[in-house]
Amino acid sequence: MLVPLNPIASQTATGAFIVLLVAATAISVRKRQAGGFFPLSATNQIKGLAILMVVFSHIGYFLTTDHDFLFPLSGMAGVGLNLFLLISGYGLTVSTLQKDLSVLQFYRRRLIKIVVPFWTVLALFFLLDLFVLHITYAPSYWVSSFLGFFHSANLYRDIDSPLWYMTLIILYYVLFPLAFSKKYPWLSAVALCAAGVGFLMWHPAIMDPVLWLYRTHIVAFPLGMIIGWLAVRMPQSKQQLAVWLRSAYQEVQEVLSYRPAARTVGYWVSVLGLLGVIGYFSVHSGVGTQAEQFISIITVLALTALFLLSRVDIGLLTLFGVYSYEIYLFHWPLLYRYDIFFHFLPAWLALAAYLILFIGLGQALQIFSHKATGWLFGKNA
């Protein structure tokens, strides 16, 4: 059921929630401890930001009657999904380059980890819809859903509309070990991107309701693979790079070593420049235009660079990042069909309560999925 909000109530609730969110974020800021090119703390924070972007967008544009609620926080769901895909491509590439896994071992250790919580949530909502709301679905819909094949993404009629994303991510996980080459990882990324473009050009009629979603998310995963390849390769090429660019490298090092003020100014110019790019494209997102995917990728890269440059960790984002996948799986049906807060509390307080609930449910689902994976596939899965 949609949440009724008038413009005045919407603006008041948005302001109150932003104040609460800023306060919670500020309290959770800590100096960054982990080093490296792409520390785990950065990836978790990126995933945390991504899931909040998705949740805020679904609430602001599809759950409430006034679309100004949560604006401008609600305008970057596409960027959030591309962040997820980029981090997935990056993580799979780095781990595969560092470990030798057969195709079957890859499926056992990687694919199963995303499938088990997915199946758990899907089964739960099918049963809840049947016994609580008396909603039934065709047997073919049950089968295709558990196979991860979603050819529609209707927020109000499908079992869990955001699961259209599972078709894409499962397909990437299935194809990744088959297409990946340790010798030429960049070529594997190009091949997967070409396969995605080819699929869009094929334009199968059955997928027509969701193809517009794929068009804005076909580049991020291969791009993450390329970043992962570069992250692993850079330390190996450091000596060679120093030989090629010795004079320029030494000059830059001298400037940074003896002119700390210049280094500080350069850092903040970079941070403010990235914030400017993110702010501009969050407003001029190009949604619905041919440039949407390009603008989304630019925003994703700017956000990623900002987190890599950051000298602090935001604990709130890290917390949501740890449970981001689980939250993505269950958030929309809980908000739309099983709402327990929005119709009884002020909108800003209801959203805060849901975010706390999502963390608890995400932790419970993660623990259950881990145990269920061990029961079904053994402890080494």
Side-chain angles (χ1 to χ4, degrees), residues 290-302:
Q290 293 294 325
E292 182 177 357
Q293 179 168 220
F294 175 76
I295 292 174
S296 178
I297 292 299
I298 294 297
T299 309
V300 163
L301 291 175

PDB file of all heavy atoms in Angstrom, residues 290-302:
ATOM      1  N   GLN A 290      19.726   8.583 -23.640  1.00  0.00           N
ATOM      2  CA  GLN A 290      20.773   7.690 -24.131  1.00  0.00           C
ATOM      3  C   GLN A 290      22.058   7.819 -23.307  1.00  0.00           C
ATOM      4  O   GLN A 290      22.883   6.909 -23.283  1.00  0.00           O
ATOM      5  CB  GLN A 290      21.080   8.017 -25.604  1.00  0.00           C
ATOM      6  CG  GLN A 290      19.942   7.712 -26.555  1.00  0.00           C
ATOM      7  CD  GLN A 290      19.660   6.215 -26.653  1.00  0.00           C
ATOM      8  OE1 GLN A 290      20.566   5.395 -26.585  1.00  0.00           O
ATOM      9  NE2 GLN A 290      18.391   5.867 -26.821  1.00  0.00           N
ATOM     10  N   ALA A 291      22.205   8.950 -22.618  1.00  0.00           N
ATOM     11  CA  ALA A 291      23.438   9.195 -21.862  1.00  0.00           C
ATOM     12  C   ALA A 291      23.364   8.670 -20.434  1.00  0.00           C
ATOM     13  O   ALA A 291      24.327   8.831 -19.672  1.00  0.00           O
ATOM     14  CB  ALA A 291      23.732  10.695 -21.838  1.00  0.00           C
ATOM     15  N   GLU A 292      22.262   8.020 -20.050  1.00  0.00           N
ATOM     16  CA  GLU A 292      22.073   7.632 -18.642  1.00  0.00           C
ATOM     17  C   GLU A 292      23.190   6.717 -18.144  1.00  0.00           C
ATOM     18  O   GLU A 292      23.746   6.932 -17.058  1.00  0.00           O
ATOM     19  CB  GLU A 292      20.718   6.944 -18.462  1.00  0.00           C
ATOM     20  CG  GLU A 292      20.451   6.568 -17.011  1.00  0.00           C
ATOM     21  CD  GLU A 292      19.078   5.948 -16.813  1.00  0.00           C
ATOM     22  OE1 GLU A 292      18.307   5.857 -17.788  1.00  0.00           O
ATOM     23  OE2 GLU A 292      18.786   5.542 -15.666  1.00  0.00           O
ATOM     24  N   GLN A 293      23.531   5.685 -18.907  1.00  0.00           N
ATOM     25  CA  GLN A 293      24.559   4.758 -18.439  1.00  0.00           C
ATOM     26  C   GLN A 293      25.912   5.456 -18.342  1.00  0.00           C
ATOM     27  O   GLN A 293      26.647   5.257 -17.371  1.00  0.00           O
ATOM     28  CB  GLN A 293      24.672   3.539 -19.347  1.00  0.00           C
ATOM     29  CG  GLN A 293      25.752   2.564 -18.888  1.00  0.00           C
ATOM     30  CD  GLN A 293      25.686   1.227 -19.595  1.00  0.00           C
ATOM     31  OE1 GLN A 293      25.877   0.185 -18.977  1.00  0.00           O
ATOM     32  NE2 GLN A 293      25.410   1.227 -20.882  1.00  0.00           N
ATOM     33  N   PHE A 294      26.243   6.279 -19.321  1.00  0.00           N
ATOM     34  CA  PHE A 294      27.523   6.992 -19.299  1.00  0.00           C
ATOM     35  C   PHE A 294      27.620   7.897 -18.069  1.00  0.00           C
ATOM     36  O   PHE A 294      28.636   7.898 -17.358  1.00  0.00           O
ATOM     37  CB  PHE A 294      27.680   7.821 -20.576  1.00  0.00           C
ATOM     38  CG  PHE A 294      28.911   8.682 -20.591  1.00  0.00           C
ATOM     39  CD1 PHE A 294      30.158   8.120 -20.826  1.00  0.00           C
ATOM     40  CD2 PHE A 294      28.812  10.048 -20.371  1.00  0.00           C
ATOM     41  CE1 PHE A 294      31.301   8.912 -20.835  1.00  0.00           C
ATOM     42  CE2 PHE A 294      29.948  10.838 -20.378  1.00  0.00           C
ATOM     43  CZ  PHE A 294      31.198  10.277 -20.616  1.00  0.00           C
ATOM     44  N   ILE A 295      26.570   8.655 -17.804  1.00  0.00           N
ATOM     45  CA  ILE A 295      26.562   9.550 -16.642  1.00  0.00           C
ATOM     46  C   ILE A 295      26.639   8.745 -15.351  1.00  0.00           C
ATOM     47  O   ILE A 295      27.357   9.113 -14.409  1.00  0.00           O
ATOM     48  CB  ILE A 295      25.294  10.436 -16.660  1.00  0.00           C
ATOM     49  CG1 ILE A 295      25.361  11.416 -17.835  1.00  0.00           C
ATOM     50  CG2 ILE A 295      25.126  11.179 -15.343  1.00  0.00           C
ATOM     51  CD1 ILE A 295      24.106  12.231 -18.033  1.00  0.00           C
ATOM     52  N   SER A 296      25.922   7.625 -15.294  1.00  0.00           N
ATOM     53  CA  SER A 296      25.947   6.771 -14.101  1.00  0.00           C
ATOM     54  C   SER A 296      27.352   6.238 -13.843  1.00  0.00           C
ATOM     55  O   SER A 296      27.823   6.230 -12.698  1.00  0.00           O
ATOM     56  CB  SER A 296      24.964   5.610 -14.263  1.00  0.00           C
ATOM     57  OG  SER A 296      25.013   4.748 -13.151  1.00  0.00           O
ATOM     58  N   ILE A 297      28.044   5.801 -14.902  1.00  0.00           N
ATOM     59  CA  ILE A 297      29.397   5.257 -14.743  1.00  0.00           C
ATOM     60  C   ILE A 297      30.367   6.347 -14.288  1.00  0.00           C
ATOM     61  O   ILE A 297      31.234   6.108 -13.427  1.00  0.00           O
ATOM     62  CB  ILE A 297      29.880   4.611 -16.054  1.00  0.00           C
ATOM     63  CG1 ILE A 297      29.057   3.338 -16.348  1.00  0.00           C
ATOM     64  CG2 ILE A 297      31.361   4.276 -15.975  1.00  0.00           C
ATOM     65  CD1 ILE A 297      29.184   2.265 -15.288  1.00  0.00           C
ATOM     66  N   ILE A 298      30.242   7.550 -14.838  1.00  0.00           N
ATOM     67  CA  ILE A 298      31.092   8.660 -14.399  1.00  0.00           C
ATOM     68  C   ILE A 298      30.880   8.924 -12.915  1.00  0.00           C
ATOM     69  O   ILE A 298      31.839   9.129 -12.146  1.00  0.00           O
ATOM     70  CB  ILE A 298      30.784   9.935 -15.212  1.00  0.00           C
ATOM     71  CG1 ILE A 298      31.184   9.747 -16.671  1.00  0.00           C
ATOM     72  CG2 ILE A 298      31.501  11.148 -14.611  1.00  0.00           C
ATOM     73  CD1 ILE A 298      32.656   9.511 -16.888  1.00  0.00           C
ATOM     74  N   THR A 299      29.618   8.905 -12.483  1.00  0.00           N
ATOM     75  CA  THR A 299      29.306   9.132 -11.071  1.00  0.00           C
ATOM     76  C   THR A 299      29.870   8.012 -10.202  1.00  0.00           C
ATOM     77  O   THR A 299      30.403   8.254  -9.119  1.00  0.00           O
ATOM     78  CB  THR A 299      27.780   9.234 -10.874  1.00  0.00           C
ATOM     79  OG1 THR A 299      27.234  10.177 -11.796  1.00  0.00           O
ATOM     80  CG2 THR A 299      27.452   9.682  -9.455  1.00  0.00           C
ATOM     81  N   VAL A 300      29.746   6.783 -10.676  1.00  0.00           N
ATOM     82  CA  VAL A 300      30.285   5.622  -9.952  1.00  0.00           C
ATOM     83  C   VAL A 300      31.796   5.750  -9.781  1.00  0.00           C
ATOM     84  O   VAL A 300      32.341   5.528  -8.693  1.00  0.00           O
ATOM     85  CB  VAL A 300      29.927   4.317 -10.693  1.00  0.00           C
ATOM     86  CG1 VAL A 300      30.801   3.158 -10.218  1.00  0.00           C
ATOM     87  CG2 VAL A 300      28.453   3.978 -10.471  1.00  0.00           C
ATOM     88  N   LEU A 301      32.491   6.100 -10.843  1.00  0.00           N
ATOM     89  CA  LEU A 301      33.944   6.243 -10.772  1.00  0.00           C
ATOM     90  C   LEU A 301      34.347   7.379  -9.835  1.00  0.00           C
ATOM     91  O   LEU A 301      35.327   7.260  -9.082  1.00  0.00           O
ATOM     92  CB  LEU A 301      34.518   6.476 -12.168  1.00  0.00           C
ATOM     93  CG  LEU A 301      34.442   5.286 -13.132  1.00  0.00           C
ATOM     94  CD1 LEU A 301      34.944   5.685 -14.514  1.00  0.00           C
ATOM     95  CD2 LEU A 301      35.225   4.104 -12.597  1.00  0.00           C
ATOM     96  N   ALA A 302      33.590   8.471  -9.863  1.00  0.00           N
ATOM     97  CA  ALA A 302      33.883   9.593  -8.966  1.00  0.00           C
ATOM     98  C   ALA A 302      33.674   9.190  -7.511  1.00  0.00           C
ATOM     99  O   ALA A 302      34.487   9.523  -6.635  1.00  0.00           O
ATOM    100  CB  ALA A 302      33.013  10.791  -9.325  1.00  0.00           C
TER     101      ALA A 302
END
